[in-house]
Amino acid sequence: MLNLTHVQAFLAIVDSGGFHEAARRLGASQPTVSQQLRKLEESLGVTLVHRAHRNASPTARGAAFLPFARRLIEGAERSIQAVHRHPLAVGAASNPGIYLLPPYIRRFEQEDPKALPVRLRIGTNPETIARLESGEIDVAVTEWWEPRSGCEVVPWRRDPMVVIVAPDHRWSRRRSISAEEFVTEPVLGGEPGTGTGRLLRSELRSLVDRMNVTQQLGSTEAVKRAVAAGLGISIVLASAVRDEVASGSLVALTLEGVSMERQLFVITPADAPPTAMSRRFTATLMQLAS
């Protein structure tokens, strides 16, 4: 098989008319270009270029090879373009996907010269991980992670969580409540198996068994509306209710003596090459979050 780097050196020599100019065009040393041409000639078993003191020109066999050499390089360039024409597919759990990722994606698209518009797919944590493992997405952002083979996991950022209540709730003028008070109210969401449920189990321990989870609404948006309507309280990412708290449609409280932060993770296939777009996207997330 022909080495395309050697073919490229041959074309540069013929097109520029000499080894010195070919080296300048390729950003290589003249001895390197000479060696690449020599290796190409050895692989073909023919002389391709007449060497002269000040110029170089193709031999008869070099001229016969020239159009095929051009097509080889053009075909390689088209194949690279075809591979990179597909946008990066990012999968995310609903909370980071809706409330955190969009500005990061925008920065990545603006700053990475090779980036096409990112395709974002939002789902549950299990759906997102399954899509990564099946190859439907290139990188995943999740709210929890269970170790498994074939994936490379990077802790991304820790986001605070807050208790939310309606503006007319009896706690609405307070800044914090105790864990014991929290479990006495009807709670919307936070059921076992969710990211919030796992966090509550870790932080509240046995108190979590006294929680009265009244409804499993399936999305943070639905939870926010239900809390605002007075159907119960909930615990969500602070970033998910920033606008509602600012407008006064919801009130955010902290849990006394409880560290309520959710660790978010960025996951890529372990075999993704260092130059993969998914690696560059992960590096952008880590840089902007630091």
Side-chain angles (χ1 to χ4, degrees), residues 135-170:
E136 294 179 52
I137 58 176
D138 303 302
V139 58
V141 179
T142 66
E143 298 175 292
W144 51 263
W145 173 250
E146 293 176 343
R148 62 191 71 198
S149 61
C151 295
E152 185 173 306
V153 184
V154 180
W156 177 32
R157 53 183 283 172
R158 298 185 68 88
D159 267 43
M161 301 193 70
V162 292
V163 177
I164 54 172
V165 301
D168 58 355
H169 192 279
R170 67 180 187 280

Side-chain angles (χ1 to χ4, degrees), residues 92-94 96 123-130 141-145 193-195 262:
S94 58
T124 64
N125 280 278
E127 287 170 347
T128 300
I129 294 170
V141 179
T142 66
E143 298 175 292
W144 51 263
W145 173 250
T194 64
R262 179 171 296 172

Side-chain angles (χ1 to χ4, degrees), residues 13 16-22 30 34 49-57:
I13 293 166
S16 65
F19 288 82
H20 179 75
E21 179 61 20
Q30 186 170 327
S34 298
V49 173
H50 291 299
R51 276 80 162 171
H53 179 64
R54 292 189 177 277
N55 56 37
S57 59

Side-chain angles (χ1 to χ4, degrees), residues 110-123:
Q110 291 175 332
E111 296 178 3
D112 192 307
K114 297 181 179 179
L116 294 172
V118 172
R119 180 165 56 89
L120 177 61
R121 294 192 65 180
I122 294 175

Side-chain angles (χ1 to χ4, degrees), residues 138-139 150-152 267-280 282:
D138 303 302
V139 58
C151 295
E152 185 173 306
I267 310 160
T268 53
D271 58 359
T275 55
M277 195 177 299
S278 58
R279 300 283 192 191
R280 300 202 304 271
T282 300

Side-chain angles (χ1 to χ4, degrees), residues 14 28 72 114 119 159 171 180 223 233 263:
V14 171
L72 283 172
K114 297 181 179 179
R119 180 165 56 89
D159 267 43
W171 295 340
E180 288 77 9
V223 166
I233 67 173
Q263 176 69 66

Side-chain angles (χ1 to χ4, degrees), residues 8-32:
Q8 193 173 37
F10 164 70
L11 289 175
I13 293 166
V14 171
D15 290 342
S16 65
F19 288 82
H20 179 75
E21 179 61 20
R24 189 190 68 80
R25 290 186 182 186
L26 295 174
S29 67
Q30 186 170 327
T32 297

